[in-house]
Short mmCIF file of all heavy atoms in Angstrom, two decimals:
data_model
loop_
_atom_site.label_atom_id
_atom_site.label_comp_id
_atom_site.label_asym_id
_atom_site.label_seq_id
_atom_site.Cartn_x
_atom_site.Cartn_y
_atom_site.Cartn_z
N PRO A 1488 88.48 94.64 92.84
CA PRO A 1488 87.70 94.57 91.60
C PRO A 1488 88.09 93.38 90.71
O PRO A 1488 87.24 92.81 90.09
CB PRO A 1488 87.99 95.90 90.94
CG PRO A 1488 88.32 96.84 92.07
CD PRO A 1488 89.06 95.96 93.04
N THR A 1489 89.38 93.07 90.69
CA THR A 1489 89.85 91.87 89.99
C THR A 1489 90.93 91.24 90.90
O THR A 1489 91.52 91.97 91.73
CB THR A 1489 90.47 92.17 88.62
OG1 THR A 1489 91.63 93.00 88.80
CG2 THR A 1489 89.46 92.85 87.68
N PRO A 1490 91.18 89.95 90.75
CA PRO A 1490 92.11 89.26 91.68
C PRO A 1490 93.54 89.89 91.75
O PRO A 1490 94.15 89.88 92.80
CB PRO A 1490 92.18 87.84 91.15
CG PRO A 1490 90.92 87.67 90.40
CD PRO A 1490 90.55 89.00 89.85
N GLU A 1491 94.01 90.43 90.64
CA GLU A 1491 95.38 90.96 90.62
C GLU A 1491 95.49 92.37 91.18
O GLU A 1491 96.58 92.89 91.38
CB GLU A 1491 96.01 90.89 89.23
CG GLU A 1491 95.40 91.81 88.19
CD GLU A 1491 94.13 91.27 87.52
OE1 GLU A 1491 93.67 90.17 87.86
OE2 GLU A 1491 93.59 91.99 86.66
N MET A 1492 94.35 93.01 91.44
CA MET A 1492 94.37 94.38 91.96
C MET A 1492 94.49 94.40 93.49
O MET A 1492 94.21 93.42 94.15
CB MET A 1492 93.10 95.11 91.54
CG MET A 1492 93.00 95.38 90.06
SD MET A 1492 91.41 96.14 89.57
CE MET A 1492 91.67 97.80 90.18
N ARG A 1493 94.94 95.53 94.00
CA ARG A 1493 94.97 95.73 95.45
C ARG A 1493 93.54 95.82 95.96
O ARG A 1493 92.61 96.25 95.26
CB ARG A 1493 95.64 97.07 95.80
CG ARG A 1493 97.12 97.15 95.56
CD ARG A 1493 97.65 98.53 95.96
NE ARG A 1493 99.07 98.54 95.91
CZ ARG A 1493 99.81 99.14 94.94
NH1 ARG A 1493 99.20 99.76 93.93
NH2 ARG A 1493 101.11 99.11 94.99
N SER A 1494 93.33 95.43 97.21
CA SER A 1494 92.05 95.66 97.85
C SER A 1494 91.91 97.14 98.14
O SER A 1494 92.86 97.90 98.05
CB SER A 1494 91.95 94.86 99.15
OG SER A 1494 92.85 95.41 100.12
N PHE A 1495 90.70 97.56 98.54
CA PHE A 1495 90.48 98.93 98.91
C PHE A 1495 91.46 99.34 100.03
O PHE A 1495 92.11 100.37 99.98
CB PHE A 1495 89.02 99.16 99.37
CG PHE A 1495 88.75 100.54 99.88
CD1 PHE A 1495 88.43 101.55 99.00
CD2 PHE A 1495 88.79 100.83 101.25
CE1 PHE A 1495 88.18 102.86 99.47
CE2 PHE A 1495 88.54 102.10 101.73
CZ PHE A 1495 88.23 103.11 100.84
N ALA A 1496 91.53 98.48 101.05
CA ALA A 1496 92.44 98.77 102.20
C ALA A 1496 93.88 98.89 101.70
O ALA A 1496 94.61 99.78 102.09
CB ALA A 1496 92.32 97.66 103.25
N GLU A 1497 94.29 97.98 100.82
CA GLU A 1497 95.67 98.00 100.29
C GLU A 1497 95.94 99.26 99.46
O GLU A 1497 97.05 99.81 99.53
CB GLU A 1497 95.98 96.74 99.51
CG GLU A 1497 96.07 95.51 100.37
CD GLU A 1497 95.99 94.20 99.61
OE1 GLU A 1497 95.55 94.21 98.42
OE2 GLU A 1497 96.32 93.16 100.20
N GLN A 1498 94.96 99.72 98.71
CA GLN A 1498 95.12 100.97 97.93
C GLN A 1498 95.39 102.13 98.90
O GLN A 1498 96.30 102.93 98.69
CB GLN A 1498 93.84 101.29 97.14
CG GLN A 1498 93.67 100.51 95.90
CD GLN A 1498 94.48 101.06 94.73
OE1 GLN A 1498 95.46 101.79 94.86
NE2 GLN A 1498 94.11 100.64 93.54
N MET A 1499 94.59 102.21 99.95
CA MET A 1499 94.74 103.32 100.91
C MET A 1499 96.05 103.21 101.69
O MET A 1499 96.69 104.23 101.94
CB MET A 1499 93.54 103.33 101.89
CG MET A 1499 92.26 103.80 101.22
SD MET A 1499 92.42 105.53 100.63
CE MET A 1499 90.74 105.88 100.15
N LEU A 1500 96.47 101.99 101.99
CA LEU A 1500 97.73 101.81 102.71
C LEU A 1500 98.94 102.06 101.76
O LEU A 1500 99.98 102.55 102.23
CB LEU A 1500 97.78 100.43 103.35
CG LEU A 1500 96.70 100.24 104.46
CD1 LEU A 1500 96.71 98.79 104.93
CD2 LEU A 1500 96.94 101.18 105.64
N HIS A 1501 98.80 101.74 100.52
CA HIS A 1501 99.83 102.03 99.54
C HIS A 1501 100.00 103.56 99.43
O HIS A 1501 101.13 104.08 99.42
CB HIS A 1501 99.47 101.41 98.17
CG HIS A 1501 100.36 101.89 97.07
ND1 HIS A 1501 101.66 101.43 96.92
CD2 HIS A 1501 100.17 102.77 96.05
CE1 HIS A 1501 102.21 102.03 95.86
NE2 HIS A 1501 101.31 102.84 95.33
N LEU A 1502 98.88 104.24 99.32
CA LEU A 1502 98.88 105.74 99.26
C LEU A 1502 99.62 106.27 100.49
O LEU A 1502 100.46 107.16 100.38
CB LEU A 1502 97.43 106.17 99.24
CG LEU A 1502 96.97 107.59 99.40
CD1 LEU A 1502 95.54 107.71 98.88
CD2 LEU A 1502 97.02 108.10 100.81
N THR A 1503 99.39 105.67 101.62
CA THR A 1503 100.01 106.12 102.89
C THR A 1503 101.50 105.87 102.89
O THR A 1503 102.31 106.74 103.26
CB THR A 1503 99.32 105.40 104.08
OG1 THR A 1503 97.96 105.74 104.06
CG2 THR A 1503 99.94 105.79 105.42
N ASP A 1504 101.92 104.68 102.43
CA ASP A 1504 103.34 104.38 102.39
C ASP A 1504 104.09 105.38 101.47
O ASP A 1504 105.17 105.85 101.83
CB ASP A 1504 103.58 102.94 101.88
CG ASP A 1504 103.30 101.89 102.95
OD1 ASP A 1504 103.44 102.20 104.16
OD2 ASP A 1504 102.98 100.76 102.55
N ALA A 1505 103.46 105.71 100.37
CA ALA A 1505 104.05 106.67 99.47
C ALA A 1505 104.11 108.06 100.07
O ALA A 1505 105.11 108.77 99.91
CB ALA A 1505 103.30 106.71 98.13
N ASN A 1506 103.07 108.45 100.82
CA ASN A 1506 103.09 109.75 101.51
C ASN A 1506 104.32 109.82 102.42
O ASN A 1506 105.02 110.83 102.43
CB ASN A 1506 101.80 109.97 102.29
CG ASN A 1506 100.63 110.41 101.45
OD1 ASN A 1506 100.79 110.68 100.25
ND2 ASN A 1506 99.49 110.47 102.03
N TYR A 1507 104.59 108.77 103.15
CA TYR A 1507 105.75 108.75 104.03
C TYR A 1507 107.04 108.80 103.22
O TYR A 1507 107.94 109.59 103.53
CB TYR A 1507 105.74 107.47 104.89
CG TYR A 1507 104.86 107.52 106.10
CD1 TYR A 1507 103.71 106.72 106.15
CD2 TYR A 1507 105.13 108.33 107.20
CE1 TYR A 1507 102.87 106.71 107.28
CE2 TYR A 1507 104.30 108.33 108.31
CZ TYR A 1507 103.17 107.52 108.34
OH TYR A 1507 102.35 107.53 109.45
N GLY A 1508 107.14 108.00 102.18
CA GLY A 1508 108.36 107.92 101.38
C GLY A 1508 108.71 109.21 100.68
O GLY A 1508 109.85 109.69 100.78
N PHE A 1509 107.75 109.78 99.98
CA PHE A 1509 107.98 111.04 99.30
C PHE A 1509 108.34 112.15 100.28
O PHE A 1509 109.24 112.95 100.05
CB PHE A 1509 106.75 111.47 98.48
CG PHE A 1509 106.59 110.86 97.15
CD1 PHE A 1509 105.77 109.73 96.94
CD2 PHE A 1509 107.21 111.38 96.02
CE1 PHE A 1509 105.59 109.19 95.69
CE2 PHE A 1509 107.06 110.85 94.76
CZ PHE A 1509 106.24 109.75 94.61
N THR A 1510 107.60 112.21 101.38
CA THR A 1510 107.80 113.30 102.37
C THR A 1510 109.15 113.19 103.01
O THR A 1510 109.84 114.21 103.18
CB THR A 1510 106.67 113.29 103.40
OG1 THR A 1510 105.43 113.43 102.70
CG2 THR A 1510 106.83 114.41 104.41
N THR A 1511 109.56 111.99 103.36
CA THR A 1511 110.88 111.81 103.95
C THR A 1511 111.95 112.25 102.96
O THR A 1511 112.88 112.97 103.34
CB THR A 1511 111.07 110.32 104.33
OG1 THR A 1511 110.14 110.00 105.38
CG2 THR A 1511 112.47 110.04 104.82
N ALA A 1512 111.80 111.88 101.72
CA ALA A 1512 112.79 112.27 100.69
C ALA A 1512 112.81 113.78 100.48
O ALA A 1512 113.88 114.37 100.30
CB ALA A 1512 112.47 111.56 99.38
N ALA A 1513 111.65 114.41 100.52
CA ALA A 1513 111.58 115.85 100.20
C ALA A 1513 111.95 116.72 101.41
O ALA A 1513 112.50 117.80 101.21
CB ALA A 1513 110.18 116.19 99.74
N THR A 1514 111.61 116.27 102.61
CA THR A 1514 111.81 117.15 103.77
C THR A 1514 112.98 116.76 104.65
O THR A 1514 113.44 117.57 105.45
CB THR A 1514 110.53 117.14 104.64
OG1 THR A 1514 110.38 115.87 105.24
CG2 THR A 1514 109.29 117.56 103.86
N GLY A 1515 113.43 115.53 104.55
CA GLY A 1515 114.46 115.04 105.43
C GLY A 1515 113.96 114.57 106.77
O GLY A 1515 114.73 114.08 107.59
N GLU A 1516 112.68 114.70 107.03
CA GLU A 1516 112.10 114.22 108.27
C GLU A 1516 112.13 112.67 108.27
O GLU A 1516 111.87 112.06 107.24
CB GLU A 1516 110.63 114.65 108.40
CG GLU A 1516 110.44 116.12 108.64
CD GLU A 1516 110.93 116.57 110.00
OE1 GLU A 1516 110.63 115.93 111.01
OE2 GLU A 1516 111.59 117.62 110.07
N LYS A 1517 112.48 112.09 109.40
CA LYS A 1517 112.57 110.65 109.47
C LYS A 1517 111.20 110.03 109.57
O LYS A 1517 110.37 110.43 110.42
CB LYS A 1517 113.41 110.24 110.72
CG LYS A 1517 113.62 108.75 110.81
CD LYS A 1517 114.59 108.40 111.91
CE LYS A 1517 114.76 106.92 112.18
NZ LYS A 1517 114.18 105.95 111.33
N SER A 1518 110.93 109.07 108.72
CA SER A 1518 109.62 108.39 108.74
C SER A 1518 109.49 107.50 109.97
O SER A 1518 110.43 106.79 110.31
CB SER A 1518 109.47 107.51 107.50
OG SER A 1518 108.25 106.77 107.55
N PRO A 1519 108.35 107.56 110.64
CA PRO A 1519 108.16 106.71 111.81
C PRO A 1519 107.89 105.25 111.42
O PRO A 1519 107.80 104.38 112.31
CB PRO A 1519 106.98 107.34 112.52
CG PRO A 1519 106.20 107.99 111.43
CD PRO A 1519 107.23 108.44 110.42
N ILE A 1520 107.70 104.99 110.16
CA ILE A 1520 107.42 103.62 109.72
C ILE A 1520 108.42 103.22 108.65
O ILE A 1520 108.97 104.04 107.92
CB ILE A 1520 105.99 103.42 109.20
CG1 ILE A 1520 105.77 104.19 107.93
CG2 ILE A 1520 104.96 103.83 110.26
CD1 ILE A 1520 104.64 103.64 107.07
N GLY A 1521 108.61 101.90 108.50
CA GLY A 1521 109.52 101.40 107.48
C GLY A 1521 108.88 101.44 106.09
O GLY A 1521 107.67 101.56 105.95
N MET A 1522 109.76 101.36 105.08
CA MET A 1522 109.29 101.39 103.68
C MET A 1522 108.27 100.28 103.42
O MET A 1522 108.55 99.12 103.65
CB MET A 1522 110.49 101.21 102.76
CG MET A 1522 110.15 101.41 101.29
SD MET A 1522 109.98 103.16 100.94
CE MET A 1522 111.34 103.34 99.80
N GLY A 1523 107.10 100.66 102.97
CA GLY A 1523 106.04 99.70 102.63
C GLY A 1523 105.37 99.00 103.82
O GLY A 1523 104.59 98.09 103.66
N GLU A 1524 105.63 99.53 105.02
CA GLU A 1524 105.13 98.87 106.22
C GLU A 1524 103.62 98.94 106.38
O GLU A 1524 103.01 97.99 106.82
CB GLU A 1524 105.80 99.54 107.45
CG GLU A 1524 105.58 98.83 108.75
CD GLU A 1524 106.36 99.49 109.90
OE1 GLU A 1524 107.57 99.64 109.76
OE2 GLU A 1524 105.71 99.85 110.88
N SER A 1525 103.00 100.01 105.95
CA SER A 1525 101.53 100.17 106.12
C SER A 1525 100.80 99.10 105.32
O SER A 1525 99.90 98.45 105.83
CB SER A 1525 101.08 101.56 105.67
OG SER A 1525 101.72 102.56 106.40
N GLU A 1526 101.19 98.96 104.07
CA GLU A 1526 100.48 98.01 103.18
C GLU A 1526 100.66 96.57 103.65
O GLU A 1526 99.83 95.71 103.35
CB GLU A 1526 100.96 98.15 101.73
CG GLU A 1526 99.98 97.57 100.74
CD GLU A 1526 100.31 97.85 99.28
OE1 GLU A 1526 101.12 98.74 99.00
OE2 GLU A 1526 99.75 97.17 98.40
N LYS A 1527 101.72 96.30 104.41
CA LYS A 1527 101.96 94.94 104.91
C LYS A 1527 101.21 94.66 106.20
O LYS A 1527 101.27 93.54 106.70
CB LYS A 1527 103.48 94.73 105.14
CG LYS A 1527 104.30 94.73 103.87
CD LYS A 1527 105.77 94.66 104.17
CE LYS A 1527 106.56 94.88 102.88
NZ LYS A 1527 107.96 95.26 103.16
N SER A 1528 100.48 95.65 106.71
CA SER A 1528 99.74 95.48 107.95
C SER A 1528 98.77 94.29 107.81
O SER A 1528 98.10 94.14 106.78
CB SER A 1528 98.95 96.74 108.25
OG SER A 1528 98.06 96.54 109.34
N THR A 1529 98.69 93.48 108.86
CA THR A 1529 97.77 92.35 108.82
C THR A 1529 96.37 92.78 109.25
O THR A 1529 95.40 92.14 108.89
CB THR A 1529 98.27 91.20 109.74
OG1 THR A 1529 98.51 91.72 111.05
CG2 THR A 1529 99.53 90.57 109.19
N ASP A 1530 96.28 93.89 109.97
CA ASP A 1530 94.99 94.43 110.39
C ASP A 1530 94.50 95.43 109.36
O ASP A 1530 94.92 96.56 109.34
CB ASP A 1530 95.09 95.09 111.77
CG ASP A 1530 93.77 95.65 112.26
OD1 ASP A 1530 92.74 95.58 111.52
OD2 ASP A 1530 93.73 96.14 113.42
N LYS A 1531 93.65 94.95 108.45
CA LYS A 1531 93.11 95.81 107.39
C LYS A 1531 91.67 96.19 107.65
O LYS A 1531 90.88 96.39 106.74
CB LYS A 1531 93.31 95.14 106.03
CG LYS A 1531 94.81 95.03 105.65
CD LYS A 1531 95.00 94.60 104.21
CE LYS A 1531 96.45 94.64 103.79
NZ LYS A 1531 97.31 93.64 104.37
N SER A 1532 91.35 96.29 108.93
CA SER A 1532 89.98 96.69 109.32
C SER A 1532 89.80 98.19 109.00
O SER A 1532 90.78 98.93 108.87
CB SER A 1532 89.80 96.47 110.82
OG SER A 1532 90.61 97.36 111.57
N LYS A 1533 88.56 98.57 108.90
CA LYS A 1533 88.24 99.99 108.62
C LYS A 1533 88.88 100.89 109.68
O LYS A 1533 89.51 101.93 109.31
CB LYS A 1533 86.72 100.18 108.58
CG LYS A 1533 86.28 101.58 108.24
CD LYS A 1533 84.78 101.64 108.02
CE LYS A 1533 84.33 103.00 107.57
NZ LYS A 1533 82.96 103.00 107.03
N ALA A 1534 88.75 100.57 110.93
CA ALA A 1534 89.31 101.39 112.01
C ALA A 1534 90.82 101.52 111.93
O ALA A 1534 91.37 102.63 112.04
CB ALA A 1534 88.89 100.84 113.37
N ASN A 1535 91.51 100.42 111.70
CA ASN A 1535 92.97 100.46 111.66
C ASN A 1535 93.49 101.15 110.41
O ASN A 1535 94.43 101.96 110.45
CB ASN A 1535 93.57 99.06 111.78
CG ASN A 1535 95.06 99.13 112.05
OD1 ASN A 1535 95.51 99.78 112.99
ND2 ASN A 1535 95.84 98.51 111.19
N VAL A 1536 92.87 100.86 109.26
CA VAL A 1536 93.30 101.52 108.00
C VAL A 1536 93.10 103.00 108.14
O VAL A 1536 93.98 103.80 107.77
CB VAL A 1536 92.55 100.93 106.78
CG1 VAL A 1536 92.80 101.76 105.53
CG2 VAL A 1536 92.97 99.46 106.54
N THR A 1537 91.96 103.41 108.67
CA THR A 1537 91.70 104.85 108.84
C THR A 1537 92.76 105.48 109.76
O THR A 1537 93.30 106.54 109.41
CB THR A 1537 90.27 105.07 109.41
OG1 THR A 1537 89.32 104.53 108.49
CG2 THR A 1537 89.98 106.54 109.66
N LYS A 1538 93.07 104.82 110.84
CA LYS A 1538 94.11 105.33 111.76
C LYS A 1538 95.45 105.47 111.08
O LYS A 1538 96.11 106.52 111.17
CB LYS A 1538 94.20 104.39 112.97
CG LYS A 1538 95.22 104.83 114.01
CD LYS A 1538 95.33 103.81 115.13
CE LYS A 1538 96.36 102.79 114.67
NZ LYS A 1538 96.85 101.87 115.64
N LEU A 1539 95.86 104.46 110.34
CA LEU A 1539 97.16 104.49 109.65
C LEU A 1539 97.22 105.57 108.55
O LEU A 1539 98.21 106.27 108.42
CB LEU A 1539 97.49 103.11 109.04
CG LEU A 1539 97.68 101.96 110.02
CD1 LEU A 1539 97.88 100.65 109.29
CD2 LEU A 1539 98.82 102.24 111.00
N VAL A 1540 96.14 105.67 107.79
CA VAL A 1540 96.09 106.66 106.69
C VAL A 1540 96.11 108.08 107.26
O VAL A 1540 96.85 108.95 106.76
CB VAL A 1540 94.88 106.41 105.76
CG1 VAL A 1540 94.73 107.53 104.75
CG2 VAL A 1540 95.00 105.06 105.07
N MET A 1541 95.34 108.32 108.28
CA MET A 1541 95.33 109.68 108.89
C MET A 1541 96.68 110.03 109.49
O MET A 1541 97.14 111.17 109.38
CB MET A 1541 94.21 109.78 109.93
CG MET A 1541 92.80 109.67 109.36
SD MET A 1541 92.38 111.03 108.24
CE MET A 1541 92.57 110.26 106.63
N ALA A 1542 97.36 109.04 110.07
CA ALA A 1542 98.70 109.27 110.63
C ALA A 1542 99.69 109.65 109.54
O ALA A 1542 100.54 110.50 109.71
CB ALA A 1542 99.20 108.06 111.41
N GLY A 1543 99.52 109.04 108.37
CA GLY A 1543 100.37 109.35 107.22
C GLY A 1543 100.18 110.78 106.77
O GLY A 1543 101.16 111.50 106.51
N TYR A 1544 98.93 111.21 106.71
CA TYR A 1544 98.67 112.61 106.33
C TYR A 1544 99.19 113.58 107.38
O TYR A 1544 99.75 114.61 107.05
CB TYR A 1544 97.17 112.86 106.11
CG TYR A 1544 96.71 112.44 104.72
CD1 TYR A 1544 96.05 111.24 104.52
CD2 TYR A 1544 96.96 113.23 103.62
CE1 TYR A 1544 95.63 110.84 103.26
CE2 TYR A 1544 96.55 112.85 102.34
CZ TYR A 1544 95.88 111.63 102.16
OH TYR A 1544 95.46 111.26 100.92
N ASP A 1545 99.06 113.20 108.63
CA ASP A 1545 99.59 114.06 109.71
C ASP A 1545 101.08 114.21 109.60
O ASP A 1545 101.64 115.30 109.83
CB ASP A 1545 99.21 113.49 111.10
CG ASP A 1545 97.75 113.63 111.40
OD1 ASP A 1545 97.05 114.45 110.78
OD2 ASP A 1545 97.25 112.88 112.31
N PHE A 1546 101.78 113.15 109.22
CA PHE A 1546 103.22 113.19 109.04
C PHE A 1546 103.58 114.17 107.91
O PHE A 1546 104.48 115.00 108.05
CB PHE A 1546 103.80 111.79 108.72
CG PHE A 1546 105.26 111.80 108.44
CD1 PHE A 1546 106.20 111.99 109.45
CD2 PHE A 1546 105.72 111.62 107.12
CE1 PHE A 1546 107.56 111.99 109.14
CE2 PHE A 1546 107.06 111.63 106.84
CZ PHE A 1546 108.00 111.82 107.84
N VAL A 1547 102.88 114.07 106.80
CA VAL A 1547 103.13 114.97 105.66
C VAL A 1547 102.93 116.43 106.12
O VAL A 1547 103.79 117.28 105.93
CB VAL A 1547 102.21 114.68 104.46
CG1 VAL A 1547 102.40 115.74 103.37
CG2 VAL A 1547 102.44 113.28 103.90
N ILE A 1548 101.79 116.69 106.71
CA ILE A 1548 101.42 118.05 107.09
C ILE A 1548 102.42 118.65 108.11
O ILE A 1548 102.91 119.75 107.94
CB ILE A 1548 99.97 118.10 107.65
CG1 ILE A 1548 98.98 117.80 106.47
CG2 ILE A 1548 99.66 119.44 108.32
CD1 ILE A 1548 97.58 117.42 106.92
N SER A 1549 102.77 117.87 109.13
CA SER A 1549 103.72 118.38 110.13
C SER A 1549 105.08 118.59 109.53
O SER A 1549 105.81 119.52 109.90
CB SER A 1549 103.77 117.46 111.37
OG SER A 1549 104.35 116.23 111.04
N SER A 1550 105.48 117.72 108.60
CA SER A 1550 106.80 117.86 107.94
C SER A 1550 106.84 119.09 107.06
O SER A 1550 107.83 119.83 107.06
CB SER A 1550 107.11 116.61 107.14
OG SER A 1550 107.18 115.46 107.97
N VAL A 1551 105.78 119.31 106.27
CA VAL A 1551 105.74 120.47 105.37
C VAL A 1551 105.73 121.76 106.18
O VAL A 1551 106.39 122.73 105.80
CB VAL A 1551 104.54 120.37 104.40
CG1 VAL A 1551 104.39 121.66 103.60
CG2 VAL A 1551 104.72 119.18 103.44
N LYS A 1552 105.01 121.76 107.31
CA LYS A 1552 104.93 122.97 108.16
C LYS A 1552 106.33 123.43 108.61
O LYS A 1552 106.51 124.61 108.88
CB LYS A 1552 104.05 122.71 109.37
CG LYS A 1552 102.59 122.79 109.10
CD LYS A 1552 101.77 122.57 110.35
CE LYS A 1552 100.30 122.72 110.09
NZ LYS A 1552 99.49 122.43 111.32
N LYS A 1553 107.26 122.51 108.72
CA LYS A 1553 108.63 122.84 109.19
C LYS A 1553 109.50 123.42 108.06
O LYS A 1553 110.60 123.89 108.34
CB LYS A 1553 109.29 121.61 109.74
CG LYS A 1553 108.62 121.05 110.99
CD LYS A 1553 109.28 119.75 111.43
CE LYS A 1553 108.48 119.11 112.54
NZ LYS A 1553 109.01 117.78 112.86
N MET A 1554 109.01 123.40 106.82
CA MET A 1554 109.82 123.87 105.71
C MET A 1554 109.69 125.37 105.50
O MET A 1554 108.70 125.98 105.87
CB MET A 1554 109.43 123.12 104.41
CG MET A 1554 109.69 121.63 104.48
SD MET A 1554 109.36 120.83 102.92
CE MET A 1554 110.84 121.29 101.98
N THR A 1555 110.69 125.93 104.79
CA THR A 1555 110.62 127.33 104.38
C THR A 1555 110.39 127.37 102.89
O THR A 1555 110.68 126.37 102.21
CB THR A 1555 111.99 128.01 104.69
OG1 THR A 1555 112.98 127.43 103.87
CG2 THR A 1555 112.36 127.92 106.16
N PRO A 1556 109.90 128.48 102.37
CA PRO A 1556 109.71 128.58 100.92
C PRO A 1556 111.03 128.31 100.18
O PRO A 1556 111.03 127.70 99.10
CB PRO A 1556 109.19 129.99 100.70
CG PRO A 1556 108.49 130.31 101.97
CD PRO A 1556 109.31 129.63 103.06
#
Side-chain angles (χ1 to χ4, degrees):
T1489 64
E1491 68 278 1
M1492 292 176 74
R1493 290 180 173 105
S1494 68
F1495 176 85
E1497 290 164 345
Q1498 283 279 19
M1499 289 297 188
L1500 294 172
H1501 170 75
L1502 171 161
T1503 301
D1504 283 333
N1506 281 353
Y1507 281 110
F1509 276 98
T1510 301
T1511 296
T1514 68
E1516 291 291 315
K1517 183 172 174 10
S1518 176
I1520 67 157
M1522 186 78 116
E1524 191 176 305
S1525 300
E1526 199 172 344
K1527 293 174 188 160
S1528 172
T1529 53
D1530 181 356
K1531 293 189 173 71
S1532 67
K1533 182 172 184 165
N1535 193 54
V1536 170
T1537 299
K1538 181 183 86 168
L1539 295 175
V1540 172
M1541 293 297 100
Y1544 278 101
D1545 289 342
F1546 176 74
V1547 174
I1548 292 164
S1549 68
S1550 298
V1551 172
K1552 280 181 177 178
K1553 295 175 188 173
M1554 296 185 78
T1555 65

